[in-house]
Amino acid sequence: MRGFLASSIGVATAAALALPLALSTPALAAPSMSAAAPVAPAGSTQSLPLAPLGPAADRSPGVPGMSTSPRLPETRGLPPREVKRFSLVGVVWDDASTQLFGRVQVRTRAVATGTWSDWQDLETHNSEHAPDLGTAESGTGRVRGSTAPLWVGDSDGVEVRVQAEPGAPATRAAARLPSGMRIELVDPGATDPVTVIDAKNGASGTSDEPEGDDKGDVEALPGMTMETAESSSANVPLAPLGAKEITALNKADSTADAVLASDGTLSAAARPYIGPRPRIVTRLGWGADESLREAGFVYTSTVKAAFVHHSASGNNYTCKDAPKVLRSLYRYHVVSSGWRDIGYNFAVDKCGTVYEGRAGGVAKAVQGAHTMGFNTDSMGIAVIGTYTTTAPPAAAVKAVAQLTAWKLGLFNRDPRAKTTLKSGGGNFFAKGTNVKLNVISGHRDGFATECPGKLLYGQLPPTRTSSAKLQGRP
């Protein structure tokens, strides 16, 4: 998801930017570590500051006793150390408007084997996944700059190194890194047991539960917090309160269900073109900690477009791990990046399972934080993984077609058509510009970025065709 204006390092500058291939032997050796601490059941975030590394930190022109030669590019990091268990990493800094120009690498120690990974790069430009400028969400004072997160699996050791791009030779300017840089180590935690109503038949899973789904009373399910009830109730009547999934429906039933959910106000024009609803795992189903997000929901007037993303978090996950990855992304977006909720409206894993993202109701026009400048009247779908050089699985591409056929159909949008959105500001279109976009667009269509990865982006034309076919359009 690296922006084109500060894209991945070219061949000509690669040598100048290359970080040391090896540190001293003591630094590379795994430090003596005690037994790992148990996984925190509710999830956690460790935030560790990055300190200056290497001789570049000691070269300050004009300071008595220091070299007066031009500074080397600034380098910061964290020596190898033991930490509490975590599974996802990312680097954040204080000012969200400051870009990180340079290279960020991490290596981690696996709990299962005790071995250290090779150095892995983090995508440094992630600001294009963020709330629109000038919105209440971006103006809280909590939003931070951040890299894309990286899923590394169950780990208990970490080492970090960050090097700024060198300055232009003509000016001999020193390259600087953003202030307040720190590594965020996210543990997704375990899914807390919640007493829920079975999504298929509406019957309680415990004998002391009231029968039925009691849509009007968010306190009807013992063990459910008010925040969880608020999130779950946004999907009633598509699913009963406490449902872990919203079941798949054929085309006819999807239309009937949509009319019911809209209290009969669904436009007659939209009804013939609502695609079959895919199975959707709810936030309760993937274990979202609803106490993390801000209370309430933010909606826009309609959904005119779907932006497809990749999470850029790597492909080293199994489908059974997808809920953990999603819990980690959610925590990184809220706790580390300072957003009100997870940025994406939906996520899709490599096996094609669809997950509810930002809270507010899967059938509603929930405003996300996925495509800076175009979060109004749109939805964001993230395929979990990195698809720049790796082809997206066919199951994931099919799921995107199914999801867009249903959700865009609710708002009478033809997936093959164009639509116009007004830019809220970004590095591609000035604020206030009316931009004509595909109804199913890639993130790079609205922002100068590599997201959703070259190979996933290449699947969007056939996805538009498949989505329209599922809607029954001629």
Side-chain angles (χ1 to χ4, degrees):
M1 305 184 314
R2 200 179 295 252
F4 291 146
L5 300 183
S7 59
S8 54
I9 302 165
V11 174
T13 60
L17 289 175
L19 294 169
L21 294 178
L23 300 178
S24 63
T25 300
L28 276 177
S32 175
M33 296 185 180
S34 58
V39 176
S44 63
T45 301
Q46 303 170 73
S47 185
L48 306 174
L50 302 184
L53 291 179
D58 300 325
R59 300 190 181 186
S60 300
V63 178
M66 297 291 183
S67 169
T68 57
S69 60
R71 280 197 300 248
L72 295 175
E74 184 182 5
T75 305
R76 301 181 74 82
L78 184 75
R81 62 178 292 177
E82 177 185 15
V83 292
K84 293 186 295 182
R85 284 187 176 187
F86 67 96
S87 295
L88 180 138
V89 302
V91 169
V92 302
W93 53 92
D94 293 339
D95 186 358
S97 65
T98 301
Q99 294 289 329
L100 193 165
F101 297 104
R103 190 178 187 186
V104 180
Q105 292 183 299
V106 299
R107 69 183 195 119
T108 56
R109 196 182 77 163
V111 170
T113 63
T115 58
W116 287 84
S117 70
D118 294 332
W119 287 103
Q120 301 183 79
D121 286 278
L122 302 186
E123 291 281 1
T124 57
H125 293 278
N126 192 49
S127 61
E128 62 266 28
H129 295 80
D132 287 347
L133 299 173
T135 61
E137 184 172 359
S138 68
T140 61
R142 298 191 303 270
V143 178
R144 306 179 185 96
S146 64
T147 68
L150 179 69
W151 175 261
V152 295
D154 196 10
S155 305
D156 60 6
V158 65
E159 184 176 3
V160 188
R161 58 191 189 189
V162 184
Q163 188 177 56
E165 285 184 358
T171 62
R172 309 300 295 175
R176 305 299 298 172
L177 293 170
S179 63
M181 295 187 70
R182 51 203 182 273
I183 184 78
E184 301 285 292
L185 307 174
V186 181
D187 167 33
T191 304
D192 292 331
V194 179
T195 302
V196 299
I197 292 174
D198 183 82
K200 184 175 181 180
N201 55 34
S204 168
T206 58
S207 58
D208 59 350
E209 287 282 337
E211 295 185 2
D213 49 270
D214 198 355
K215 300 181 179 65
D217 185 359
V218 296
E219 298 180 3
L221 302 180
M224 177 181 284
T225 67
M226 290 301 297
E227 294 93 346
T228 300
E230 178 191 44
S231 176
S232 182
S233 65
N235 287 316
V236 175
L238 301 184
L241 185 68
K244 290 189 175 182
E245 68 174 53
I246 298 169
T247 55
L249 294 176
N250 61 31
K251 192 175 186 307
D253 288 342
S254 293
T255 302
D257 206 53
V259 172
L260 174 65
S262 66
D263 296 323
T265 61
L266 187 71
S267 72
R271 294 179 190 181
Y273 300 119
I274 298 172
R277 187 178 73 199
R279 172 179 173 266
I280 303 172
V281 177
T282 66
R283 291 170 63 92
L284 184 60
W286 55 262
D289 179 355
E290 299 293 353
S291 68
L292 294 180
R293 65 173 175 83
E294 288 187 15
F297 314 120
V298 178
Y299 298 101
T300 60
S301 60
T302 186
V303 175
K304 299 171 69 176
F307 285 98
V308 177
H309 305 255
H310 66 175
S311 63
S313 52
N315 303 314
N316 189 28
Y317 74 94
T318 63
C319 293
K320 70 177 182 180
D321 288 333
K324 294 181 182 179
V325 178
L326 202 53
R327 291 201 298 275
S328 298
L329 292 173
Y330 170 45
R331 180 172 277 273
Y332 186 71
H333 284 181
V334 177
V335 176
S336 302
S337 302
W339 304 351
R340 74 183 316 273
D341 195 350
I342 191 171
Y344 307 115
N345 298 101
F346 296 93
V348 175
D349 69 22
K350 62 175 67 174
C351 290
T353 301
V354 178
Y355 301 87
E356 178 185 14
R358 180 163 288 207
V362 296
K364 299 175 184 177
V366 179
Q367 184 174 47
H370 48 83
T371 306
M372 180 182 278
F374 294 100
N375 290 312
T376 297
D377 296 343
S378 71
M379 67 175 184
I381 304 168
V383 180
I384 301 174
T386 304
Y387 300 106
T388 303
T389 59
T390 299
V397 175
K398 180 180 179 181
V400 172
Q402 293 171 329
L403 175 59
T404 52
W406 172 70
K407 183 63 180 282
L408 292 173
L410 297 178
F411 296 89
N412 194 27
R413 308 298 175 190
D414 184 341
R416 303 164 302 185
K418 301 278 188 179
T419 191
T420 299
L421 295 176
K422 179 176 289 188
S423 173
N427 68 357
F428 215 11
F429 299 102
K431 184 175 182 178
T433 304
N434 288 320
V435 182
K436 182 170 284 189
L437 295 162
N438 288 306
V439 168
I440 298 180
S441 285
H443 186 182
R444 63 173 62 185
D445 294 322
F447 203 99
T449 174
E450 291 184 2
C451 183
K454 178 181 178 181
L455 298 185
L456 178 55
Y457 187 75
Q459 290 296 314
L460 296 189
T463 296
R464 296 180 189 111
T465 302
S466 298
S467 182
K469 184 176 181 180
L470 287 167
Q471 287 185 343
R473 294 185 183 271

